[in-house]
């Protein structure tokens, strides 16, 4: 176990878990009056604690707290918001080990990634804190008779709904820009990973965030999540999760004309041409699917390999996959931990059966690891065809599908011939080819000769079933703020006179 802080974190979760985990509304923890559901530890399958599904009244109470806190938060100088958000970042850094330990315990994600994810959460806060003073800035667009200027104002209370794969980091990624913009937030974390959200709201309040500016609700998607997205006082929904949930959220928010930002699923190709740096491409292919247990929206879950190097690439992949260390998420040497939940394990295992019945070959892994917890052997599927479900559907686990291609056009066709369009990774030493393929692939983000390396000013998001909208840099503020144009007459134009 990495440090004594983990013991404190575990003791803390056990303490939170004693009574059902409730909500945090208006700066105050509330025990929750709704029905409860169980939250289990992925590494053991044991009960971690119970969680309360918010009642309709509790959702109303949280939205009301966000609505009441909005005018003062919006009016606060950006420099003051900046100072508070930097204090949030400081406290995240101070408690990074505790946050990482809670993530390991609650999600099964390995320590080696979670310790970095906690720090990335702090970086998200710092990045957007520094942009808070300029968030309202606009443009000057003079015409012959008017000076037009634009300015932005925060849209109002927003709902942030997040998934279970890297819950803390993803929550900061959505909540930090909302607070920097001057919006107030009601956050609902995923039911399978509720604990780190409690830590975040506590930290934010300790850092001086006024009561009601950030509220945290627990509950199920179909009840608490739905109520939030239907609530008339919630002006926008920032959502990260599955594509079909994104679609439901559009319907649920339609009656109240909700603005939505959807970051959804992916089936991202890594395209390896025969002139690529073979070793680096291999490293990237392995890292981008088996890190974070493959429970990562930008995972490279399909390797498209040029036929001339296909067999050697597969041989080396098999070697590497068999050497991955699967184990306790708290062990710093663990590469792959348990999957989040028994239901998710069954889904991932089910895809191996689908692969076999469709005629593909399981070259490594493919089975559950016997014993406690939701462990699954890292899996490699070869001989797949573009038409097979394992080549087209998001599995969201440590399962890599290999598909051969003949030439550039074939690679582009196979990369694009699916419903998703989140990320694509290209490996080639031919600069022209890298540029051509980057232009041709339908993906919101393309990395050439690189794994996913996030740079916060750049846009993050997907095309097609992978989402609507972009995060990062000013794109986050475009979603979270209303743009207003003000036209000032120079006094040089004639106002048309009618009815004189
Ligand atoms: P999910 O869609 O099942 O749940 C996500 C959140 O939505 C949870 O908090 C859930 O309670 C809530 N929810 C469910 N139904 C709802 C409803 N009807 N109304 C309102 N809220 C509802 O997703 P998941 O299984 O938690 O997460 C995995 C998915 O997230 C994968 O598809 C993955 O690709 C995606 N993801 C995408 C990104 C990205 O940036 N594009 C990042 C991480 C994860």
């Amino acid at each position: 176990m990495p440090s004594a802080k983990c013991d404190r974190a575990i003791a803390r979760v056990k303490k939170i878990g004693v009574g059902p985990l409730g909500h945090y509304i208006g700066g105050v923890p509330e025990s929750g009056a709704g029905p409860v559901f169980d939250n289990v530890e992925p590494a053991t399958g044991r009960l971690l604690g119970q969680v309360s599904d918010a009642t309709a009244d509790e959702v109303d109470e949280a939205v009301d707290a966000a609505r009441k806190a909005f005018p003062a938060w919006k009016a606060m100088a950006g420099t003051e918001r900046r100072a508070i958000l930097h204090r949030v970042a400081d406290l995240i850094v101070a408690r990074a080990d505790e946050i990482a330990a809670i993530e390991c315990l609650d999600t099964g994600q390995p320590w080696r990634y979670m310790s970095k994810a906690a720090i990335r959460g702090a970086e998200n806060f710092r990045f957007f804190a520094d942009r808070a003073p300029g968030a309202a800035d606009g443009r000057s667009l003079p015409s012959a008779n008017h000076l037009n200027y634009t300015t932005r104002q925060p849209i109002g209370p927003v709902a942030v709904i997040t998934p279970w794969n890297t819950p803390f980091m993803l929550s900061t990624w959505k909540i930090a820009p909302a607070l920097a913009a001057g919006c107030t937030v009601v956050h609902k974390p995923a039911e399978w990973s509720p604990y780190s959200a409690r830590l975040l709201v506590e930290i934010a309040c300790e850092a001086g965030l006024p009561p009601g500016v950030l509220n945290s609700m627990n509950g199920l998607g179909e009840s608490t999540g739905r109520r939030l997205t239907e609530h008339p006082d919630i002006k926008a929904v920032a959502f990260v999760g599955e594509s079909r949930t994104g679609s439901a959220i559009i319907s649920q928010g339609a009656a109240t004309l909700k603005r939505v930002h959807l970051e959804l699923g992916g089936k991202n190709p890594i395209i390896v041409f025969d002139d690529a740096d073979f070793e680096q491409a291999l490293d990237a292919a392995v890292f981008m699917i088996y890190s974070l247990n493959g429970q990562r929206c930008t995972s490279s879950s399909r390797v498209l390999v040029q036929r001339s190097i296909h067999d050697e690439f597969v041989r080396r992949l098999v070697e590497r996959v068999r050497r991955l260390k699967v184990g306790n998420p708290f062990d710093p040497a663990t590469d792959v931990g348990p999957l989040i939940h028994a239901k998710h394990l069954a889904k991932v295992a089910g895809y191996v059966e689908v692969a076999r019945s469709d005629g593909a070959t399981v070259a490594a892994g493919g089975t559950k690891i016997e014993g406690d917890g939701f462990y699954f052997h890292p899996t490699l599927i070869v001989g797949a065809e573009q038409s097979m479900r394992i080549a087209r559907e998001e599995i969201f686990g440590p399962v890599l599908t290999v598909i051969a291609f003949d030439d550039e056009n074939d690679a582009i066709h196979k990369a694009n011939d699916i419903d998703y369009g989140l990320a694509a990774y290209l490996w080639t030493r031919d600069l022209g080819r890298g540029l051509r393929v980057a232009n041709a692939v339908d993906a919101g983000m393309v990395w050439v000769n690189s794994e996913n390396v996030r740079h916060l000013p750049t846009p993050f998001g997907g095309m097609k079933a992978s989402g609507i909208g972009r995060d990062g840099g000013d794109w986050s503020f475009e979603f979270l703020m209303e743009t207003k144009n003000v036209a000032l007459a120079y006094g040089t134009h004639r106002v048309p006179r009618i009815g004189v």
Side-chain angles (χ1 to χ4, degrees):
M1 192 168 291
S3 88
K5 289 186 184 169
C6 295
D7 294 331
R8 287 213 297 279
I10 291 165
R12 169 106 179 87
V13 164
K14 299 236 156 98
K15 200 168 143 214
I16 300 174
V18 167
L21 177 63
H23 322 294
Y24 211 95
I25 302 175
V28 179
E30 294 197 0
S31 52
V36 296
F37 55 92
D38 290 344
N39 183 35
V40 293
E41 181 184 4
T44 61
R46 283 200 292 266
L47 184 72
L48 269 179
Q50 288 187 313
V51 185
S52 184
D53 187 18
T55 62
D57 284 349
E58 286 166 340
V59 171
D60 285 349
E61 194 193 332
V63 175
D64 210 43
R67 186 182 59 76
K68 287 187 180 131
F70 177 63
W73 184 244
K74 171 187 171 189
M76 185 184 279
T79 47
E80 279 182 58
R81 286 205 299 272
R82 175 176 63 193
I84 294 173
L85 299 185
H86 271 294
R87 282 203 295 277
V88 175
D90 293 342
L91 289 178
I92 291 174
V93 171
R95 294 173 72 175
D97 278 3
E98 188 186 348
I99 295 163
I102 283 181
E103 295 288 68
C104 290
L105 189 71
D106 203 9
T107 69
Q109 293 281 16
W111 175 267
R112 65 193 304 164
Y113 312 120
M114 288 305 95
S115 54
K116 296 194 182 84
I119 298 296
R120 273 188 64 193
E123 284 164 7
N124 290 338
F125 265 93
R126 291 204 198 288
F127 178 85
F128 287 107
D130 286 338
R131 276 153 188 79
D137 289 355
R139 295 171 63 188
S140 162
L141 301 161
S143 64
N145 296 311
H146 294 82
L147 172 63
N148 292 276
Y149 69 86
T150 70
T151 182
R152 289 192 297 204
Q153 62 190 55
I155 191 166
V158 299
V160 171
I161 300 180
T162 47
W164 44 259
N165 56 326
T166 47
F168 186 83
M169 200 289 293
L170 275 174
S171 305
T172 61
W173 176 231
K174 309 302 273 187
I175 290 170
L179 299 180
C183 295
T184 52
V185 174
V186 181
H187 175 214
K188 194 202 88 62
E191 42 272 58
W192 286 350
S193 61
Y195 290 119
S196 61
R198 167 55 65 96
L199 218 55
L200 179 60
V201 69
E202 282 178 4
I203 284 174
C205 290
E206 192 184 332
L209 202 71
V213 171
L214 173 61
N215 308 276
S216 179
M217 303 300 301
N218 277 300
L220 304 172
E222 261 305 309
S223 45
T224 305
R226 171 183 278 273
R227 285 182 189 121
L228 271 177
T229 59
E230 289 176 345
H231 202 292
D233 289 337
I234 290 289
K235 298 302 170 197
V237 179
F239 172 75
V240 186
E242 279 191 22
S243 302
R244 67 167 179 270
T245 315
S247 168
I249 283 174
I250 292 179
S251 311
Q252 292 161 199
T256 48
L257 292 175
K258 216 68 93 202
R259 187 183 287 187
V260 293
H261 182 185
L262 307 176
E263 286 182 13
L264 310 175
K267 186 77 178 180
N268 311 297
I270 170 166
I271 307 175
V272 185
F273 287 96
D274 59 6
D275 66 344
D277 181 324
F278 189 98
E279 295 301 324
Q280 278 208 48
L282 183 69
D283 287 345
V286 173
F287 179 76
M288 279 308 303
I289 183 67
Y290 299 107
S291 60
L292 296 173
N293 304 342
Q295 297 170 157
R296 175 188 208 149
C297 58
T298 52
S299 71
S300 58
S301 45
R302 305 185 276 159
V303 179
L304 308 182
V305 196
Q306 196 150 16
R307 216 172 284 282
S308 45
I309 57 164
H310 171 273
D311 292 354
E312 180 58 9
F313 202 79
V314 165
R315 189 184 71 73
R316 296 289 306 283
L317 273 175
V318 171
E319 272 176 16
R320 292 284 289 271
V321 174
R322 289 193 178 141
R323 278 193 211 130
L324 289 167
K325 187 171 178 333
V326 183
N328 182 341
F330 283 103
D331 181 344
T334 291
D335 296 313
V336 181
L339 301 184
I340 182 82
H341 196 278
K343 282 189 188 156
H344 190 55
L345 175 65
K347 174 187 159 181
V348 172
Y351 269 104
V352 174
E353 293 319 309
V354 168
R356 285 204 180 94
S357 65
D358 282 355
T361 303
V362 179
T367 51
K368 177 182 182 325
I369 298 177
E370 290 311 320
D372 292 340
F374 313 131
Y375 289 95
F376 193 73
H377 284 292
T379 298
L380 183 70
I381 294 172
V382 300
E385 297 293 336
Q386 186 65 15
S387 57
M388 295 178 183
R389 285 180 58 198
I390 40 139
R392 315 182 71 81
E393 296 177 15
E394 186 185 48
I395 301 174
F396 217 57
V399 180
L400 179 59
T401 301
V402 183
I403 304 161
F405 69 84
D406 295 315
D407 55 21
E408 196 174 308
N409 284 338
D410 190 27
I412 293 167
H413 166 71
K414 285 175 171 155
N416 287 345
D417 176 33
I418 58 160
D419 292 338
Y420 294 107
L422 186 59
Y425 306 90
L426 316 178
W427 286 86
T428 175
R429 285 197 176 95
D430 180 336
L431 176 61
R433 174 149 68 187
L435 290 169
R436 286 192 302 275
V437 180
N439 275 343
V441 291
D442 295 333
M445 297 167 285
V446 181
W447 278 272
V448 182
N449 296 328
S450 177
E451 81 285 19
N452 170 351
V453 179
R454 184 85 188 97
H455 180 49
L456 293 175
T458 61
F460 185 102
M463 299 180 181
K464 305 197 281 188
S466 291
I468 297 176
R470 296 290 180 273
D471 261 329
D474 200 57
W475 285 275
S476 299
F477 289 157
E478 275 295 297
F479 169 68
L480 292 156
M481 303 182 83
E482 294 279 17
T483 297
K484 180 188 285 178
N485 186 67
V486 179
L488 298 167
Y490 293 121
T492 51
H493 78 299
R494 281 153 72 91
V495 179
R497 299 184 76 209
I498 59 172
V500 180

